[in-house]
Amino acid sequence: MLVMKFGGSSVADRTQLEKVFEIVKGLVDKKPVVISSAHKGMTDKLISAAKSAVKGDFSMPDVIDYQSEISASLGCPPDLLSNLFTEISDLLRGISLVKELSPRSLDYIASFGERMAVRSIADFFTRKGLKCQAFDVWDLGFITDSKFGDARPLPGFEKQVQKAFQEKVPADVIPIVTGFIGQNENGEITTVGRNGSDLTATLLGSALGAEEVEIWTDTDGVMSADPSVVPDAKNIPSMTFDEAAELAYFGSRVLHPSTLEPAMNAEIPVRVLNTNHPSHPGTVIGRQSMDGLNRVTSIAYKEGQTVFTLTTTRMLRRAGFLAQVFEVLGRYAVVVDMISTSEISVSFTTQSREALEKALPELKQYGECDMEHGKTMLVVVGNKLAKRRGQGSEILGALAQAGARVEMISFGMGSINFSMVVDDSAVDKAVPVLHKELFS
């Protein structure tokens, strides 16, 4: 069995879906399970409609017209999605009346993108000769907790998924399944987080014991840098789970940060492929890199960081001081990305600016506090990076050449990432020079 996830750009319109059809058709013998995102831009339109409705600005939403145009271009029956269109209108009307948009309602409205897409795609593919059936993922055993916006399947969901697939998916049918969404035990719709269809794919792949999970997107696999910043970025043929997880967390635009854990635990390889260039082998991610070399894999960056520094002589030789500081951060849900300490100071980066500002009065009890905004965490990721002699000097030398000022560094023992903090404005200059130094 093969699990294939197609992102929003891959299912954007009929032109793209013709490509997807040919890809799936060519792998019928692998018994594919297709996970689909919403059509490109649809989730944003749905959320925008909900935010307008909560302000009392409700009319028949543009999302219905947008979806109707796509479905009509696919030749779908006009009434295929009529029930969902009515449900969308009723929900938005209700939001406009109560003028409240709760996390639960936000997940509910966001779910329609995938639900409409799979029904249109399954109908289109079936008429073109591939017998397909649309499924909402919760009908296949994907029942989650109630953490709206960031839900996860309940423990033991794997057996429920296996049972549901055996009972509900005919042997001669290709299931087209909703990504991104789920349902809790009360029947309330949840989502696993934006861009979470990747996670749906690896969770189902793990539950079903798939031979591989394929993530189909619009790039030739994982690249050595962001192609929008480095036009000559190179494809990475293979990489480890650890490297890919680092890149996903630190800003890689290809994978969702939580995607890899289920596949890693089940030791199922994940392959990233290009819908527009299906003959390209893409990038395979597994327990070990295929080349096994100690080399730099990629450059990633995470913009919009706040750097917080706490300075005090009370830290000096005092056991438990940092534990007290981080207890405050934990209570205010401040997520720390990168940290550096000295005898009398601790600095860290976070994107949780609002939460940090709420924690600031308590943090000031421990010492002098300083915050700087508009920073980027720039990260070089590589297998056994610390074992390469002179690697640090190459990285810092490249940034000096680019005129970027490095304000903070983190490089742990045996680390696979070399992290630095620079100004947001330095990214466009620093990344191309760094890429040239490390990959040319």
Side-chain angles (χ1 to χ4, degrees), residues 327-393:
E327 189 276 331
V328 175
L329 297 176
R331 278 193 285 109
Y332 285 91
V334 177
V335 178
V336 173
D337 287 327
M338 174 179 162
I339 186 169
S340 179
T341 65
S342 72
E343 288 297 329
I344 62 167
S345 70
V346 56
S347 297
F348 63 80
T349 67
T350 182
Q351 282 190 313
S352 310
R353 176 174 175 175
E354 185 176 340
L356 179 60
E357 288 173 344
K358 291 178 180 178
L360 192 58
E362 286 193 48
L363 292 171
K364 286 181 177 179
Q365 298 175 26
Y366 293 93
E368 182 182 342
C369 298
D370 178 69
M371 287 197 297
E372 293 188 43
H373 309 298
K375 304 298 180 182
T376 289
M377 189 163 45
L378 181 58
V379 183
V380 176
V381 174
N383 185 35
K384 300 178 182 178
L385 195 63
K387 294 186 180 296
R388 289 196 63 189
R389 188 171 299 170
Q391 187 71 79
S393 63

Side-chain angles (χ1 to χ4, degrees), residues 190-250:
T190 60
T191 68
V192 299
R194 289 301 301 267
N195 303 312
S197 293
D198 295 351
L199 178 57
T200 305
T202 54
L203 284 166
L204 289 184
S206 173
L208 295 169
E211 64 178 82
E212 187 171 273
V213 174
E214 295 182 348
I215 306 294
W216 289 84
T217 180
D218 54 5
T219 63
D220 290 333
V222 183
M223 308 298 285
S224 56
D226 182 354
S228 68
V229 177
V230 183
D232 60 346
K234 306 173 186 297
N235 162 260
I236 305 166
S238 71
M239 62 197 310
T240 66
F241 282 124
D242 288 345
E243 290 173 304
E246 289 282 347
L247 287 173
Y249 181 74
F250 286 113

Side-chain angles (χ1 to χ4, degrees), residues 252-270:
S252 172
R253 273 61 173 169
V254 176
L255 293 169
H256 183 274
S258 302
T259 295
L260 296 166
E261 185 176 358
M264 192 185 321
N265 292 338
E267 298 197 358
I268 295 172
V270 175

